[in-house]
Amino acid sequence: MSTRVAEGVSALELADYQKAVRLVLRHPLITTVHPDAVALATVRRWAEQLRRDLMDVLGYRLITTADTARLQRAHDQLDATRPALNKAGRPFDRRRYAYLALTLASLGRHGAQVALGELADAVAADATRIEGLGLETARKHDRDAFVDAVTWLTERGALHLADGSAASWASDPERAEALYDVDREILTAIHQPGRVLQHLTSVRSLLDSASASSLSAGRRAQRLSVARRARRLVLENPVAYYADAGAELTGQLRAPALAEDLTRLTGLSVERRAEGIALIDSSGRLTDLRFPAGGTVAQAALLLGARISEVAARTGRHAPERLPAPTAAERLAVRADRLDLALPAGGVLDELTEDVRDDTEADTTETLHPFVTTSWLRTRMRDITEQYGAGFAADLRGDPERLLERALDLLAAMDLITRVDGGALALPLLARYRGVTAEVKKRVPRQSAPPSEPQAALFPAELEEPAGPTEPAAPADHSAADVPKDLAE
């Protein structure tokens, strides 16, 4: 089912329009200061066309005001790869998320200005009623977490520092204070839930695929819903594997209209292979998670992935055991069940919503993937650390177990592997990195007499990738990559 994307946009202006599309997909909340001072003007210029195309193609709703542009996404899965980050780039933990939610609620009860200490007291009063949370302003750990939540709002313009310093307050609340102006319009844009949260009995009810069009809605409405879901699957994920989708969804993924719509909407190319389809962003214009990339974890993950890929390619008596990977519905059930364990027992209306699961007809053909054990992975990571550790960060070089966990998490987030009990399964996309090699660069310190042994430079090393497209990158808030060339149809 094709749509007329960018129908009112001339050929000369199409690139500018696609830039606005990528901007709003990358930053679901745009204000006068976030992500920069010119982003809002770029989006507002194309607001009418953006609203129409984002709804028709993806089922996303764009809300614009004088000072904000807010994209309300339709969510089909639970994704842990897009966390809120503090100023140091570290993901929010559960405490910081809780403080952020309580801060938003508390700001709704304050006036045009609020002191940081006063806001902390209000949040602390609510936090004490939540078992296991609390907020003690006498504890530095709690103050730092609270300030991270306030800073997140400040960066987006919901709060404007009028006087004082949040960092000084966090260091010594008895001697320092901070005063903030409150922007109601941006607060409203941030907190716009699509559902009445207190009526939900499971996190599955937050997903749009859980409330897909029923038979009574008509066949055309059902096809439109599935077509939008297929486009979202390609846009929001590194790769959409056919084996992981139901028959109707696979039909939409294979349809030529999907590639035409996404290419004209985003300006990126769609690449098909035997196992799936992916949106390719070689320039990183729509990417929040790049791979390959610099840094110890990314480099270790690349080297580990290359070794897994080499084992996966073995045939005959040296071939690894092959096992089925959990389906998308099974992965969703595991994540949802874990999250549902944290739902408060009180105040939930048990029968108001159904516990909805993905009932899309699954492909009955079982796909098997090469399996490597946890012990094998540990051995390979020790080997990698011994060979390339001179270029790794010191804390991870001395803790190969933690480095392995983080590397496997990154490979899984990129849909290169699936983590299972006892090890990991290699997915088709991983074959792209077979044969990757690296070396640690050497550098000689600037001194009159050369040292007896040149010192190792920090990673990244020189990397030689196998022939294929440019490095994978991400659409929207996730990463995208192409399926391996050597597995092409």
Side-chain angles (χ1 to χ4, degrees):
M1 178 175 292
S2 181
T3 61
R4 305 186 72 176
V5 179
E7 184 177 13
V9 182
S10 69
L12 292 176
E13 294 183 310
L14 183 59
D16 288 337
Y17 174 68
Q18 291 168 341
K19 178 181 178 181
V21 171
R22 294 192 298 267
L23 188 60
V24 77
L25 288 174
R26 178 77 182 272
H27 303 282
L29 174 65
I30 296 176
T31 69
T32 55
V33 297
H34 178 79
D36 54 50
V38 300
L40 184 62
T42 302
V43 172
R44 282 179 57 81
R45 178 193 174 198
W46 298 102
E48 184 176 349
Q49 186 72 47
L50 285 169
R51 276 193 290 269
R52 184 163 53 249
D53 284 344
L54 291 172
M55 175 55 71
D56 291 346
V57 177
L58 302 167
Y60 291 172
R61 183 184 179 199
L62 179 65
I63 303 170
T64 57
T65 67
D67 295 323
T68 66
R70 181 71 162 94
L71 183 66
Q72 290 187 325
R73 279 194 171 87
H75 296 282
D76 302 306
Q77 57 189 327
L78 301 174
D79 188 354
T81 65
R82 307 169 188 175
L85 303 174
N86 65 12
K87 294 192 71 171
R90 296 189 182 91
F92 273 29
D93 54 17
R94 296 175 66 181
R95 179 175 297 275
R96 283 167 171 77
Y97 278 121
Y99 288 166
L100 177 59
L102 293 177
T103 300
L104 284 167
S106 180
L107 286 170
R109 303 190 294 266
H110 284 81
Q113 282 191 326
V114 62
L116 188 57
E118 178 188 359
L119 183 59
D121 290 340
V123 171
D126 292 334
T128 55
R129 294 196 288 267
I130 301 175
E131 184 178 356
L133 183 59
L135 193 165
E136 295 289 342
T137 55
R139 293 194 303 184
K140 182 68 163 58
H141 175 74
D142 286 4
R143 295 198 304 272
D144 287 342
F146 172 67
V147 167
D148 279 345
V150 170
T151 301
W152 188 92
L153 293 172
T154 305
E155 290 172 344
R156 283 149 185 81
L159 295 173
H160 299 272
L161 184 63
D163 191 19
S165 166
S168 298
W169 179 88
S171 298
D172 189 351
E174 297 297 328
R175 294 173 177 247
E177 185 56 279
L179 182 66
Y180 289 91
D181 295 325
V182 181
D183 190 314
R184 296 287 168 199
E185 186 174 309
I186 295 178
L187 280 178
T188 301
I190 291 175
H191 183 59
Q192 288 186 333
R195 293 168 177 80
V196 183
L197 302 183
Q198 62 264 37
H199 291 170
L200 304 184
T201 59
S202 169
V203 296
R204 295 182 185 88
S205 301
L206 292 170
L207 304 179
D208 288 77
S209 56
S211 56
S213 300
S214 62
L215 292 175
S216 61
R219 187 59 185 167
R220 185 179 184 283
Q222 292 181 60
R223 286 200 303 272
L224 178 59
S225 176
V226 175
R228 287 171 172 170
R229 187 178 172 195
R231 298 186 197 106
R232 294 195 298 262
L233 186 64
V234 176
L235 181 74
E236 298 283 1
N237 293 274
V239 59
Y241 290 115
Y242 299 137
D244 208 22
E248 190 172 20
L249 193 58
T250 300
Q252 290 291 341
L253 290 173
R254 293 183 181 276
L258 179 143
E260 296 170 6
D261 291 345
L262 288 179
T263 296
R264 183 161 176 82
L265 181 68
T266 65
L268 307 182
S269 60
V270 173
E271 191 164 307
R272 298 182 186 274
R273 289 292 181 262
E275 293 79 11
I277 179 173
L279 191 65
I280 307 303
D281 181 13
S282 57
S283 67
R285 294 171 295 181
L286 198 56
T287 301
D288 67 333
L289 180 61
R290 295 184 67 88
F291 188 85
T296 296
V297 174
Q299 296 289 353
L302 180 62
L303 294 169
L304 181 62
R307 284 156 174 76
I308 298 173
S309 181
E310 291 168 2
V311 171
R314 293 176 182 171
T315 58
R317 64 188 184 92
H318 297 294
E321 181 183 6
R322 290 180 173 265
L323 301 173
T327 65
E330 291 170 342
R331 295 195 300 272
L332 171 60
V334 171
R335 292 170 183 154
D337 289 343
R338 289 181 60 191
L339 290 173
D340 286 347
L341 290 175
L343 285 175
V348 176
L349 306 181
D350 294 334
E351 302 301 328
L352 198 56
T353 58
E354 297 180 2
D355 184 16
V356 186
R357 294 176 184 267
D358 187 353
D359 294 325
T360 304
E361 180 182 353
D363 190 344
T364 56
T365 304
E366 190 174 57
T367 303
L368 303 180
H369 302 278
F371 172 72
V372 290
T373 65
T374 300
S375 61
W376 183 90
L377 290 167
R378 286 171 176 162
T379 301
R380 299 290 83 74
M381 184 54 73
R382 285 196 297 269
D383 294 342
I384 290 170
T385 303
E386 290 175 2
Q387 185 173 359
Y388 302 103
F392 288 169
D395 60 329
L396 292 172
R397 181 173 63 240
D399 191 353
E401 285 288 329
R402 184 160 68 98
L403 180 56
L404 175 61
E405 283 297 309
R406 293 182 60 181
L408 291 175
D409 285 344
L410 177 56
L411 292 174
M414 296 299 302
D415 283 348
L416 298 171
I417 66 167
T418 292
R419 301 192 66 175
V420 295
D421 291 341
L425 300 175
L427 300 182
L429 181 59
L430 189 64
R432 179 178 180 184
Y433 302 105
R434 188 182 309 147
V436 165
T437 61
E439 64 179 15
V440 180
K441 293 180 179 179
K442 301 291 184 177
R443 66 184 178 199
V444 179
R446 295 180 180 177
Q447 54 186 26
S448 56
S452 57
E453 179 66 27
Q455 298 180 1
L458 295 177
F459 238 65
E462 297 286 355
L463 297 174
E464 299 175 4
E465 296 187 36
T470 54
E471 78 173 34
D477 285 342
H478 207 327
S479 47
D482 60 325
V483 181
K485 290 251 184 216
D486 53 356
L487 298 179
E489 293 176 307

